[in-house]
């Protein structure tokens, strides 16, 4: 399925989480989670509402640092305390709530935090060119102008902008939190297609989705989070939809560890 | 064009989508001047009206007052209007920096008053050289902004509360510096000159030429950059229209100010010195807001602070600096004020701040954050100044002015809230 530089072999993970812990006050949301994402592979993260999926990836983005646990990048332990730490390593995230500024236009949103400058001032032309090239590569059909304010976009268009923002720069890890939730059939296909293309180019993709059909279509690995614990880590080719549903709902456990 | 291999993480063009026309996504810059005009009206209808209501108000008020008072449309009153407005223009522009964040600085007025009290007492009482005293006044302004920024950005107290506290506190400090009933004259000729002396007539025209040259240069520089990047430019006729508008309005202003407006003895003519000072600050501020990271991040934080934070923006530092910029520009506004009034008393700067907020909001700066420009605040300040000036000429009781200004502020805030709804936002904001 993947034709990356590492045919057949799994290789070393780009990102590896070990025993990650996060609580909000007395509420313990992540209770020692392990996760690995490999270059050229699509790693799916599934689980019920409130399982802790978004919390897990916000830690990877440096937006909400973990309380405890080890994060390894290319094998080296690192700290992710700020969004800049993550950006520097080439970790890009499409957030579930999209995180766009309504009052800025598409180009400004895509380049927020990493504007192109020349002589200390913005090079709007260059940013506009790169933004529209990226959008075009995502086969965006409905956006009229890249200088439209994001406030004037539909839900699906906003999602596309958020995705375009994540793939604008050379990323090594792209994390998508429910990227197809607001999308129509054709746009969903487009995003899944994009996920595969990213993987083909050697990017480690982590995708969160409630749609198991989508997950099975693109994922190489499927990880199931249940009440803050990683209850299953499966090879997509060797598992079934029913198994995954069982893990998600808690009626099934791997290696029969507990009931 | 695709000769180099795609680096990891960028997307190779999707060949399966090659049926898509390559230029499907526009940039809003294409088309004839007619298309641009149509797009402009589209933006207006979607609630993005900018300074248009303020410009309309300015024109209507000017016509109204020129009918009501024969003195309103004289060269003398015109120059007077500009110098009266300068203090408010400056304060309005100062406030834009915090309003863009969705914050407010109710202490901007008393900051200008307190720093000017400090300045004048240092000069008049302690015989400190005026330049040194001015530097101390500015330092006090910067410190004030840093203090507000600390409480708002660092501690997390709403700016309304912090600056309201300071609004009271600084009145007390000003009173202590000046002493009850005290009044100090401004006898520094350089300071007095700002509002009371004029450029030579030729320098006024030279100023207009410089404005046109700078404006043309930035337009063509931007176009060259866009061309180099391979994206379309707006039709060039728009540049000529813009330069034409500046030339006509600027030309009219300079022409009026170049005529003798002296009353009996002596010739009074030329552009007041305060005008080029305001224009330079306006230009620098606009440059910063439009073309630098600091400016862009002010808008981003005002639009969605969490999104800005996730994009790696140092939200706290930007917030903090915005308050410093605001307080510093408030000192400049205080300088204009004492130059015009000629004295400093314990009430300095107490009343002006709401007019400053009104100026910004009337000009189209949003109280909800994320929308507005310095020029908008300047135009709004001119509208408020016309009201003050015009009502003053009609010999109406002072109360009328306050009532009218307050009414205009509420009207402008309503327009602001409604245009937010139009633009897809909601009035409620968490
Ligand atoms: N900032 C926060 N403060 C307190 N509790 C939080 C916070 N963020 C998340 N939680 C809690 O953590 C738990 C996990 O939330 P999270 O958003 O990670 O779930 P999720 O798996 O992404 O769910 P969904 O599928 O609905 O997106 C929830 O119970 C939520 O209430
Ligand atoms: Mg979630």
């Amino acid at each position: 399925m993947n034709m990356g530089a590492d045919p057949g072999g799994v290789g070393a993970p780009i990102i590896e989480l070990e025993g990650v812990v996060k609580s909000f006050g007395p509420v313990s949301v992540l209770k020692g989670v392990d996760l690995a994402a490999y270059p050229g592979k699509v790693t799916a993260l599934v689980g019920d509402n409130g399982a802790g999926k978004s919390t897990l990836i916000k830690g990877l983005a440096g937006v909400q640092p973990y309380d405890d646990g080890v994060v390894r990048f290319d094998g080296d332990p690192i700290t992710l305390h700020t969004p800049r730490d993550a950006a520097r390593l080439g970790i890009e995230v499409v957030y579930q709530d999209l995180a766009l500024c309504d009052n800025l236009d598409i180009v400004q949103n895509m380049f927020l935090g990493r504007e192109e400058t020349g002589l200390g001032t913005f090079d709007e032309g260059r940013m506009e060119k790169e933004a529209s090239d990226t959008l075009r590569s995502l086969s965006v059909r409905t956006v009229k102008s890249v200088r439209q304010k994001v406030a004037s976009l539909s839900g699906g268009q906003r999602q596309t902008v958020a995705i375009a923002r994540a793939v604008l720069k050379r990323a090594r890890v792209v994390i998508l939190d429910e990227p197809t939730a607001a999308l129509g059939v054709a746009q969903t296909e487009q995003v899944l297609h994009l996920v595969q293309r990213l993987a083909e180019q050697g990017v480690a993709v982590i995708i969160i989705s409630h749609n198991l059909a989508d997950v099975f279509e693109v994922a190489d690995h499927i990880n199931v989070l249940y009440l803050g614990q990683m209850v299953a880590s499966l090879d997509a080719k060797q598992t079934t939809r029913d198994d995954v549903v069982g893990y998600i709902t808690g009626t099934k456990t791997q290696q029969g560890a507990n009931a | 064009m695709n000769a180099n291999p795609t680096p990891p993480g960028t997307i190779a063009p999707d060949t399966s989508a090659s049926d898509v026309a390559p230029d499907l996504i526009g940039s809003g810059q294409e088309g004839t001047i007619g298309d641009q005009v149509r797009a402009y009206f589209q933006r207006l209808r979607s609630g993005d009206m900018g300074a248009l209501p303020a410009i309309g108000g300015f024109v209507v008020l000017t016509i109204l007052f020129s009918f009501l008072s024969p003195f309103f449309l004289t060269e003398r009153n015109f120059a007077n209007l500009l110098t009266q407005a300068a203090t408010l223009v400056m304060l309005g522009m100062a406030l834009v920096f915090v309003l863009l964040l969705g914050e407010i600085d109710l202490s901007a007025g008393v900051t200008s008053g307190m720093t000017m009290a400090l300045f004048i007492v240092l000069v008049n009482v302690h015989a400190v050289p005026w330049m040194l005293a001015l530097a101390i006044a500015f330092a006090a302004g910067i410190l004030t902004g840093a203090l507000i920024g600390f409480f708002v950005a660092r501690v997390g107290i709403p700016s309304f509360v912090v600056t309201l506290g300071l609004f009271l506190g600084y009145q007390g400090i000003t009173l202590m510096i000046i002493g009850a009933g005290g009044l100090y004259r401004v006898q520094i000729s350089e300071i007095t000159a700002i509002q009371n002396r004029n450029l030579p007539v030729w320098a006024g025209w030279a100023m207009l030429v410089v404005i046109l040259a700078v404006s043309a240069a930035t337009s063509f520089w931007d176009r060259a950059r866009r061309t180099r990047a391979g994206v379309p430019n707006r039709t060039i006729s728009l540049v000529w229209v813009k330069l034409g508008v500046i030339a006509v309005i600027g030309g009219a202003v300079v022409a009026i100010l170049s005529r003798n407006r002296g009353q009996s003895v002596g010739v009074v003519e030329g552009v007041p010195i305060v005008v080029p000072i305001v224009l330079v600050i306006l230009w620098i501020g606009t440059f910063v807001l439009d073309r630098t990271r600091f400016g862009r991040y002010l808008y981003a934080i005002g639009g969605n602070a969490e999104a800005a934070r996730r994009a790696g923006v140092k939200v706290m530092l930007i917030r903090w600096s915005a308050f410093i910029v605001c307080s510093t520009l408030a000192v400049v506004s205080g300088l204009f004020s004492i130059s015009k009034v000629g004295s400093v008393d314990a009430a300095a700067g107490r009343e002006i701040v709401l007019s400053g907020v009104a100026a910004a909001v009337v000009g189209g700066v949003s109280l909800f954050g994320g929308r507005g420009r310095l020029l908008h605040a300047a135009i709004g300040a001119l509208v408020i100044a016309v009201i003050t000036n015009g009502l003053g000429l009609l010999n109406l009781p002072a109360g009328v002015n306050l009532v009218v200004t307050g009414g205009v502020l509420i009207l402008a805030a309503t327009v602001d809230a409604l245009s937010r709804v139009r633009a897809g936002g909601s009035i409620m904001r968490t």
Side-chain angles (χ1 to χ4, degrees), chain B residues 205 208 211-212 240-254:
Chain B
W205 291 109
L208 183 60
I211 292 172
L212 284 168
W240 305 126
V241 170
K242 179 177 141 196
L243 293 178
V245 169
I246 297 175
V248 169
I249 295 179
V253 169
V254 174

Side-chain angles (χ1 to χ4, degrees), chain A residues 46-256:
Chain A
V46 297
D48 243 335
N49 292 127
K53 306 180 296 295
S54 295
T55 308
L56 188 66
I57 64 106
K58 277 183 190 162
L60 273 179
V63 166
Q64 256 172 23
Y66 302 127
D67 298 338
D68 204 2
V70 182
V71 183
R72 270 191 283 272
F73 193 88
D74 284 337
D76 303 322
I78 52 152
T79 50
L80 292 168
H81 284 314
T82 67
R84 274 170 192 270
D85 294 341
R88 213 172 297 126
L89 295 168
I91 302 175
E92 290 287 342
V93 184
V94 179
Y95 295 96
Q96 193 171 6
D97 54 6
L98 300 183
L100 299 171
C101 295
D102 273 356
N103 60 330
L104 300 185
D105 66 32
I106 294 176
V107 180
Q108 292 170 339
N109 266 289
M110 284 174 66
F111 277 91
L112 186 59
R114 50 196 179 181
E115 292 81 2
E116 304 270 6
T117 54
L119 301 174
T121 66
F122 290 157
D123 192 338
E124 295 287 355
R126 211 161 88 215
M127 291 195 267
E128 195 173 305
K129 179 88 171 77
E130 284 180 49
S132 47
D133 284 351
T134 304
L135 282 168
R136 213 170 292 146
S137 75
L138 297 178
S139 308
V140 175
R141 286 149 197 270
T142 55
V143 173
K144 256 202 256 85
S145 154
V146 289
R147 288 297 180 184
Q148 243 174 308
K149 293 256 178 344
V150 164
S152 68
L153 299 180
S154 77
Q157 290 172 331
R158 296 160 72 95
Q159 199 136 33
T160 316
V161 172
I163 293 171
R165 179 183 153 81
V167 298
L168 179 69
K169 293 283 157 182
R170 47 167 61 220
R172 294 197 58 205
V173 181
V174 172
I175 306 173
L176 305 123
D177 195 349
E178 310 216 16
T180 56
L183 298 184
V185 179
Q187 277 297 316
T188 300
E189 260 329 294
Q190 208 63 61
V191 169
L192 296 179
H193 192 72
L194 162 74
V195 165
Q196 281 167 332
R197 269 188 292 148
L198 282 173
E200 279 162 21
Q201 287 160 22
V203 176
V205 183
I206 300 177
I207 182 167
I208 298 177
S209 178
H210 287 295
N211 185 332
L212 291 185
D214 291 354
V215 167
F216 273 99
E217 190 178 332
V218 293
D220 299 293
H221 305 286
I222 300 177
N223 296 272
V224 186
L225 205 56
Y226 179 72
L227 294 180
Q229 274 169 325
M230 201 61 90
V231 290
S233 199
L234 310 158
D235 188 327
K237 283 194 219 70
Q238 288 157 19
T239 189
T240 65
R241 199 192 135 87
D242 286 348
D243 278 350
V244 174
V245 171
Y247 289 122
I248 291 175
T249 54
T251 56
K252 190 173 159 59
T253 50
Q254 211 168 16
Q255 296 118 18

